[in-house]
Amino acid sequence: MKLLSADASPFARKVRVLILETDLTDAVETVVAMTTPYDTNQTLLAANPVGKLPTLIREDGPALYDSRVICRFLDDHASAGLYPANRLWDTLTLEATADGIMDAAVLMTYEKRLRPPEYQSVDWLDAQWKKVMGAVSVINDRWMSHLSGPLDMSHIATGCALAYLDFRHGDRNWRKGNDALDDWLAVFAERDSMKATAPE
């Protein structure tokens, strides 16, 4: 299998962390696919009609896309148990919350990096950041007991989402008022899988 990925993508990083955590490095080759919303990588587009990363190319079936689909597939392939039945809905909900942080934060990145300064909207950036901080606050206030439990996919998604905020939006300081989550990330970021996938 081949994973079409990019170092800076938090969604692709989720999958790459899972691959390391589940010891699937020999089963999945990571292929860098540089792409932008304005100039989609043609290999990526051939595999995924919406041209988004990550995309998993399989030998025995159509390509899989959307990070949550890929993560569920690889977790099942490895029998890793990162979507535990006894807390499946909590895991999926927290993963979706982390993905929502990534969605808003990536839109902010596109606004700042791809649009000319004179067309950038401060109101748009602030609206997306409000979504980010709402989700971060909810995780800090409601989900720390879950994050303190055994590793599952929601931990990986949350770690990648928060690390992306540091990577692209560090000046906005998501940590303010979210001390428990800040402390949790300091520990989670030391995992070998997180260190190995950190964007430059």
Side-chain angles (χ1 to χ4, degrees):
M1 293 180 284
K2 292 183 179 181
L3 177 71
L4 302 183
S5 175
D7 287 351
S9 166
F11 295 102
R13 188 181 185 188
K14 269 178 58 181
V15 180
R16 291 186 293 123
V17 170
L18 177 149
I19 289 169
L20 291 172
E21 291 284 352
T22 56
D23 200 25
L24 285 175
T25 52
D26 289 339
V28 183
E29 176 189 358
T30 298
V31 178
V32 175
M34 301 304 295
T35 191
T36 76
Y38 294 141
D39 185 18
T40 304
N41 179 289
Q42 291 304 300
T43 300
L44 175 61
L45 192 59
N48 178 347
V50 296
K52 290 186 176 182
L53 297 171
T55 294
L56 183 70
I57 298 175
R58 301 181 294 166
E59 296 178 357
D60 59 350
L64 301 179
Y65 37 88
D66 186 276
S67 64
R68 275 179 274 183
V69 174
I70 296 171
C71 287
R72 287 296 295 268
F73 173 80
L74 291 177
D75 176 70
D76 184 72
H77 183 78
S79 300
L82 291 175
Y83 292 93
N86 65 335
R87 56 183 194 279
L88 177 61
W89 302 114
D90 287 348
T91 298
L92 289 172
T93 299
L94 183 50
E95 182 185 7
T97 305
D99 281 3
I101 292 171
M102 295 182 208
D103 279 330
V106 168
L107 288 174
M108 292 175 66
T109 299
Y110 286 163
E111 183 75 5
K112 293 194 298 184
R113 293 171 63 91
L114 298 179
R115 288 171 66 87
E118 63 270 24
Y119 294 117
Q120 293 177 16
S121 170
V122 173
D123 289 342
W124 170 261
L125 292 169
D126 288 346
Q128 298 309 312
W129 187 249
K130 185 177 181 180
K131 295 176 185 179
V132 167
M133 289 305 295
V136 168
S137 178
V138 164
I139 296 173
N140 185 80
D141 294 344
R142 299 182 189 173
W143 290 98
M144 294 314 301
S145 61
H146 186 99
L147 290 175
S148 298
L151 179 72
D152 63 33
M153 196 59 217
S154 69
H155 295 70
I156 294 172
T158 301
C160 290
L162 298 175
Y164 185 77
L165 297 182
D166 287 337
F167 176 56
R168 291 296 195 201
H169 308 293
D171 59 321
R172 287 186 176 253
N173 190 18
W174 65 264
R175 289 174 168 81
K176 185 177 181 180
N178 296 295
D179 295 343
L181 198 52
D182 181 13
D183 292 343
W184 175 84
L185 181 63
V187 175
F188 192 80
E190 291 301 310
R191 297 182 75 91
D192 290 343
S193 60
M194 290 293 287
K195 289 182 177 179
T197 58
E200 295 182 4

